[in-house]
Amino acid sequence: MLIINVPAFSFLYSNFDKEVGHHKRYNKNDFKKMLQFTKIKKSYMLYYDSLGFLLSLLNKFFNQNEGRLFKNKILIWNFLINFSKYIDIITFHTIGKSLLIFIKK
């Protein structure tokens, strides 16, 4: 089994992504298109970190001074990820800051 974890939703891409080394953000359709040209027939995809999605969206539109607050953002995310797990279950993993893909040949 191959497990892939990528940042989700291109419209969330920001300077914060650049700072942590992201080059792109993805959605489920990106991987569905890639997998249609392979012999792989079994895959499962889910979004996770719904609170992170909301924070990323707010960060993209309201943050003017990214560099100075970089460390604080990581600390806040590390704290909130535990709460986000429960919201992800309630929202059936339909939205999140990240995309998790499980591929079985």
Side-chain angles (χ1 to χ4, degrees):
M1 179 175 287
L2 175 64
I3 301 171
I4 302 169
N5 185 25
V6 295
F9 298 109
S10 297
F11 64 86
L12 290 178
Y13 193 84
S14 69
N15 287 333
F16 185 77
D17 285 290
K18 290 178 193 173
E19 290 182 34
V20 296
H22 297 163
H23 299 285
K24 182 178 177 2
R25 288 181 159 269
Y26 301 86
N27 61 42
K28 289 180 181 180
N29 286 335
D30 294 327
F31 281 91
K32 287 177 184 175
K33 288 176 188 175
M34 284 188 262
L35 291 174
Q36 76 182 11
F37 299 108
T38 68
K39 293 181 180 181
I40 296 168
K41 299 297 178 208
K42 290 190 176 191
S43 66
Y44 179 71
M45 300 179 216
L46 60 90
Y47 294 108
Y48 73 95
D49 192 8
S50 48
L51 282 178
F53 175 88
L54 178 61
L55 292 175
S56 294
L57 191 60
L58 292 172
N59 179 64
K60 179 163 177 79
F61 293 110
F62 296 111
N63 191 6
Q64 303 298 319
N65 193 356
E66 299 231 2
R68 192 182 67 152
L69 301 173
F70 181 78
K71 223 176 189 179
N72 291 340
K73 289 177 186 175
I74 299 293
L75 291 172
I76 291 168
W77 179 78
N78 284 340
F79 175 75
L80 290 177
I81 190 72
N82 294 316
F83 299 105
S84 197
K85 292 175 190 177
Y86 299 107
I87 295 171
D88 292 341
I89 292 168
I90 294 168
T91 62
F92 301 103
H93 295 277
T94 56
I95 194 160
K97 182 180 67 121
S98 299
L99 174 61
L100 198 55
I101 303 105
F102 301 90
I103 299 172
K104 190 172 183 178
K105 191 170 181 182

